[in-house]
């Protein structure tokens, strides 16, 4: 079984570095879409095996939708795109463990 830390991709570090104030370290696109993060955490901590598969699917769908949004939006979204890729990989591993 993989360690618990394995399922937390680097977006945790990105999320913790995000500031609520409007200084230069502020990433509005990271704050604008917390839904995929919430769905990922819900899938990660789900204890019911049947519901875990459903939650993983919901999280993966939200991640794909957000990736499409970022693709169509102008600007530099490298940190969130990287976080999305790592989270999708973690969800695939979690899905294999179920």
């Amino acid at each position: 079984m993989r360690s618990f830390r394995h399922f937390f991709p680097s977006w945790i570090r990105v999320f913790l570095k995000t500031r609520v104030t409007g200084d230069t370290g502020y990433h509005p696109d990271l704050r604008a879409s917390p839904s995929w993060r919430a769905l990922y955490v819900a899938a990660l901590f789900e204890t019911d095996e049947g519901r875990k598969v459903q939650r993983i699917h919901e999280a993966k769908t939200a991640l794909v939708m957000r990736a499409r949004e970022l693709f169509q939006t102008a600007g530099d979204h490298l940190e969130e795109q990287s976080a999305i890729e790592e989270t999708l990989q973690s969800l695939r591993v979690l899905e294999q463990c179920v």
Side-chain angles (χ1 to χ4, degrees):
M1 180 101 192
R2 297 189 185 266
S3 72
F4 187 74
R5 181 178 286 266
H6 174 77
F7 293 109
F8 279 108
S10 67
W11 64 261
I12 288 285
R13 293 186 299 273
V14 172
F15 186 71
L16 292 175
K17 287 192 287 186
T18 304
R19 292 168 177 60
V20 180
T21 60
D23 64 357
T24 58
Y26 176 65
H27 303 284
D29 57 339
L30 292 177
R31 243 183 90 228
S33 66
S35 61
W36 66 263
R37 290 177 179 87
L39 290 170
Y40 171 69
V41 172
L44 188 62
F45 290 108
E46 180 62 55
T47 56
D48 182 10
E49 293 293 322
R51 291 190 62 192
K52 184 178 277 292
V53 173
Q54 178 185 357
R55 290 199 185 263
I56 291 171
H57 176 70
E58 291 170 354
K60 286 169 79 173
T61 302
L63 283 160
V64 169
M65 289 175 54
R66 180 60 181 161
R68 288 180 182 165
E69 286 175 15
L70 292 177
F71 181 73
Q72 296 174 354
T73 306
D76 181 20
H77 309 286
L78 294 177
E79 289 184 28
E80 188 174 7
Q81 289 171 340
S82 176
I84 287 172
E85 290 173 14
E86 291 179 10
T87 304
L88 278 170
Q89 182 62 31
S90 295
L91 284 171
R92 287 185 197 107
V93 172
L94 183 63
E95 198 171 33
Q96 291 174 354
C97 291
V98 175

